[in-house]
Amino acid sequence: MKVEELPDHFEKIFGGRPRIYRAPGRVNLIGEHTDYSDGFVMPAAIGFSTYVAVAPRPDRKLVIYSEEFPGHFEFDLDRLPHQRTGAWCDYVLGVAGVLQQQGQKLAGANLLVHGEIPVGAGLSSSAAVEVASALALMSLTGASLPLPEVAKLCRQAENNFVGARVGIMDQFVSCMGKAGCAILLDCRSLEFKLVPIPRNTRLVVCNTTVKHELANGTYNTRREECEEGARYFAAWDPAVHALRDVSVDLLNRHAADLPPTILKRCTHVVLENQRTIDAARALSDGDLARMGVLMRESHNSLRDLYEVSCRELDIMVEAAQDLPGFCGGRMTGGGFGGCTVNLVQEQHASDFAAQISDRYRQATGINPQVYICSAEAGAQAMSGPA
Ligand code: GAF
């Protein structure tokens, strides 16, 4: 289905004309696995979005359909499940639950969810469903919240209802993305700076099309390892509340006292935070050579210290290195599969896409998907009822 057809599909299924809300997926240029340690990230929203078409119902039901995702679901707003169902509708349910816990009395609603973000590719399709659903549900009661608050409540839904202990990055950039810019975000204060991406540069996103089983469990394990590291440092310096507060100097002073695995995780986070701040400066200065070095260091650190890369991601990163127009690239998102992000000069982007696909296919026997993207705007209302 094309997005233009969404109102007609909605009408066929439910009757009536919907309002439509859109929330985009993202790539992260640098600052990986730092958000849940209160650190810095630098993502950009991309041109793949999830759309939620919504209209009120006279009763207290929440009815959720999608053509891309299986099943259709009906819930009673006064008796929403307290535990996840295991289906994709959990992202909508979680958001509805948090909105109600915050004191909003939601209205009965029909929702048709249209997703164009590749699922399981690490491009934040789940955050986009959450954000678009939150805007859609709030629109029916006339409630409005600042977008950073929407991001926070969506993250809360994912942490508490879906059960993934994610940081704030994905929901924040899906809400706050700006065309042409990456966002340097302080994940503790939620202060942010827009960092323009040089005009003639494209974000070429290379999907390995693999997702290894490890992804979910290991994400929570990494979080626990970071929390354990922060506890060590807090014992030496009470000003440390999260790895964000650990300086390179403090890290070096206590390196020998940490268990080797914890030291590796902490070293990644501490240095990645610094790289992210440096990268924001490099990008806004248009210094793509420096940006490329930092992205490469980030990838190596995720591969060797944080240990969340995989063979396919490493092959995709190596395959890019000497291609014309390539400025920098790395794995993006949680890892264990999914995508790499590459900064590529615009005039070389199509050839880059073709050549990296060939190389990856030859090395792995797997057909990749390559998307030539740019930084796009964050979540918004598309139209009122027609
Ligand atoms: C996933 C999470 F949802 C983010 O919060 C972030 O931790 C990312 O992995 C790794 O940087 O996308």
Side-chain angles (χ1 to χ4, degrees):
M1 177 176 60
K2 292 200 194 98
V3 65
E4 307 82 66
E5 297 164 357
L6 194 51
D8 289 341
H9 274 256
F10 186 94
E11 191 161 16
K12 263 188 225 143
I13 297 169
F14 296 116
R17 304 297 282 180
R19 305 171 188 212
I20 298 176
Y21 293 84
R22 180 191 73 82
R26 62 101 189 89
V27 286
N28 186 20
L29 294 185
I30 196 162
E32 210 68 85
H33 285 281
T34 48
D35 59 352
Y36 48 84
S37 290
D38 281 359
F40 296 91
V41 295
M42 197 163 72
I46 54 175
F48 291 114
S49 291
T50 295
Y51 299 82
V52 174
V54 66
R57 295 176 58 93
D59 55 16
R60 301 275 302 142
K61 279 189 187 157
L62 193 58
V63 181
I64 311 167
Y65 275 58
S66 172
E67 301 221 326
E68 291 79 31
F69 310 126
H72 65 264
F73 306 92
E74 275 194 32
F75 298 95
D76 181 337
L77 274 172
D78 298 317
R79 275 181 290 276
L80 287 180
H82 295 296
Q83 279 182 340
R84 65 172 174 209
T85 68
W88 65 270
C89 65
D90 283 348
Y91 298 108
V92 185
L93 279 182
V95 163
V98 172
L99 282 167
Q100 296 207 126
Q101 281 155 25
Q102 290 188 350
Q104 294 200 29
K105 186 153 170 63
L106 295 180
N110 292 323
L111 290 106
L112 178 59
V113 177
H114 172 63
E116 61 183 23
I117 306 169
V119 172
L123 299 176
S124 278
S125 55
S126 29
V129 175
E130 290 157 5
V131 170
S133 302
L135 296 181
L137 291 171
M138 288 193 308
S139 76
L140 298 186
T141 56
S144 89
L145 280 176
L147 284 169
E149 294 302 317
V150 174
K152 283 199 234 168
L153 81 84
C154 290
R155 178 198 181 189
Q156 204 180 323
E158 187 146 353
N159 285 177
N160 300 348
F161 187 75
V162 180
R165 298 186 66 210
V166 295
I168 189 72
M169 170 170 73
D170 300 351
Q171 291 80 4
F172 192 92
V173 67
S174 185
C175 284
M176 299 295 290
K178 288 282 170 296
C181 293
I183 295 185
L184 173 66
L185 173 67
D186 176 337
C187 296
R188 172 172 281 165
S189 66
L190 297 193
E191 281 167 18
F192 67 95
K193 232 168 69 185
L194 297 178
V195 184
I197 296 172
R199 274 178 186 282
N200 54 358
T201 313
R202 305 303 302 266
L203 307 175
V204 183
V205 179
C206 301
N207 187 353
T208 61
T209 74
V210 302
K211 190 81 198 164
H212 293 290
E213 277 306 305
L214 276 152
N216 295 334
T218 309
Y219 185 91
N220 287 349
T221 309
R222 289 292 177 278
R223 258 199 90 134
E224 283 153 21
E225 289 164 345
C226 289
E227 285 159 7
E228 187 178 337
R231 282 196 294 276
Y232 274 101
F233 288 104
W236 291 305
D237 178 350
V240 172
H241 300 287
L243 287 183
R244 146 70 174 276
D245 303 308
V246 177
S247 63
V248 177
D249 181 51
L250 186 64
L251 176 76
N252 289 337
R253 265 189 283 136
H254 292 289
D257 307 326
L258 291 170
T261 301
I262 302 299
L263 175 62
K264 284 203 274 184
R265 310 301 186 237
C266 293
T267 305
H268 167 75
V269 175
V270 171
L271 299 185
E272 183 79 353
N273 276 330
Q274 188 55 52
R275 274 192 289 271
T276 305
I277 292 166
D278 294 348
R281 194 170 315 121
L283 197 58
S284 48
D285 290 351
D287 186 350
L288 290 175
R290 173 86 185 124
M291 181 71 194
V293 169
L294 293 165
M295 289 176 86
R296 180 71 222 209
E297 286 176 6
S298 169
H299 183 79
N300 293 350
S301 177
L302 289 157
R303 184 191 62 204
D304 301 334
L305 298 178
Y306 216 69
E307 297 178 287
V308 290
S309 187
C310 63
R311 178 174 164 267
E312 293 85 356
L313 283 169
D314 294 341
I315 288 172
M316 197 71 96
V317 164
E318 297 308 334
Q321 295 303 313
D322 58 349
L323 289 178
F326 171 76
C327 305
R330 55 186 282 284
M331 59 157 272
T332 188
F336 299 109
C339 295
T340 67
V341 56
N342 301 275
L343 291 175
V344 180
Q345 288 164 8
E346 188 169 25
Q347 76 268 29
H348 293 288
S350 303
D351 288 346
F352 177 93
Q355 291 185 53
I356 199 165
S357 298
D358 284 347
R359 286 181 174 187
Y360 179 77
R361 201 177 296 113
Q362 272 167 27
T364 62
I366 304 169
N367 273 330
Q369 286 169 358
V370 179
Y371 323 111
I372 300 177
C373 301
S374 40
E376 303 292 348
Q380 60 191 170
M382 303 292 292
S383 61

